[in-house]
Amino acid sequence: MVVRIEPLDARKHIRKGFSCGKDSLDNYIRQQASQDLKKRVTTVFVLFDEPDFNILAYYTLSSFTVDITDLDEALAKRLPRYPRLPATLLGRLAVDYKHKGKGFGELMLVDALKKSLDVSKQVASLAVIAEALDEQALNFYKKYGFQQFKQNPMKLYFPMKSIEEL
């Protein structure tokens, strides 16, 4: 199996068989993702197999703002005192259940972090923000160094400075 990551192309990538076990994530890639792309509210990147083009995993990225008071004090004190600061939202990340345990989740996360860092050099972003759907997702993000927000422990962030050090 040869796999690649690229932006979703609804005419090429096969979405109908994707299932990660979370209805909201399954329905998103099957029914909503291409509409969000057209409206430019998010970008969707897919991991797929060649030559079949079945989607094995996907993630979304979009612009976001974060309230400075939600950040850890150590990070916040080094930032300008603007009430809202630019960030990148890793809105969804899912791996098809048939491909769990193959390292695709980590591969997609690292790809998302690298893309976010690259873009932050042209459009400012101080961190990547993720919102965990459940404890399993929360532990996944924490394993890779994401920090929880004070007021909402299911929302996490990973500073761009930390991505640069990877």
Side-chain angles (χ1 to χ4, degrees), residues 27-140:
N27 292 335
Y28 180 80
I29 193 66
R30 291 183 204 146
Q31 300 168 5
Q32 185 67 39
S34 61
Q35 294 172 31
D36 284 356
L37 279 171
K38 288 177 192 168
K39 295 174 184 172
R40 297 185 183 263
V41 296
T42 193
T43 53
V44 182
F45 294 92
V46 296
L47 175 73
F48 65 97
D49 61 343
E50 286 187 308
D52 296 330
F53 295 95
N54 292 308
I55 294 177
L56 311 176
Y58 77 93
Y59 68 84
T60 64
L61 293 175
S62 58
S63 296
F64 193 71
T65 58
V66 63
D67 190 323
I68 193 167
T69 61
D70 290 342
L71 297 172
D72 177 77
E73 288 179 32
L75 175 61
K77 73 180 181 182
R78 297 187 312 241
L79 297 170
R81 289 289 161 207
Y82 302 127
R84 312 245 340 132
L85 296 166
T88 302
L89 178 65
L90 174 57
R92 293 171 178 82
L93 189 153
V95 177
D96 187 284
Y97 76 93
K98 295 181 292 288
H99 300 283
K100 292 208 187 272
K102 296 180 181 178
F104 291 161
E106 178 178 13
L107 175 68
M108 296 300 277
L109 178 61
V110 169
D111 190 72
L113 293 175
K114 286 182 179 180
K115 278 185 176 62
S116 298
L117 177 62
D118 289 346
V119 170
S120 76
K121 294 171 184 169
Q122 296 178 24
V123 178
S125 175
L126 69 98
V128 173
I129 310 298
E131 209 164 320
L133 286 178
D134 55 29
E135 287 294 320
Q136 182 182 4
L138 179 69
N139 291 331
F140 173 80

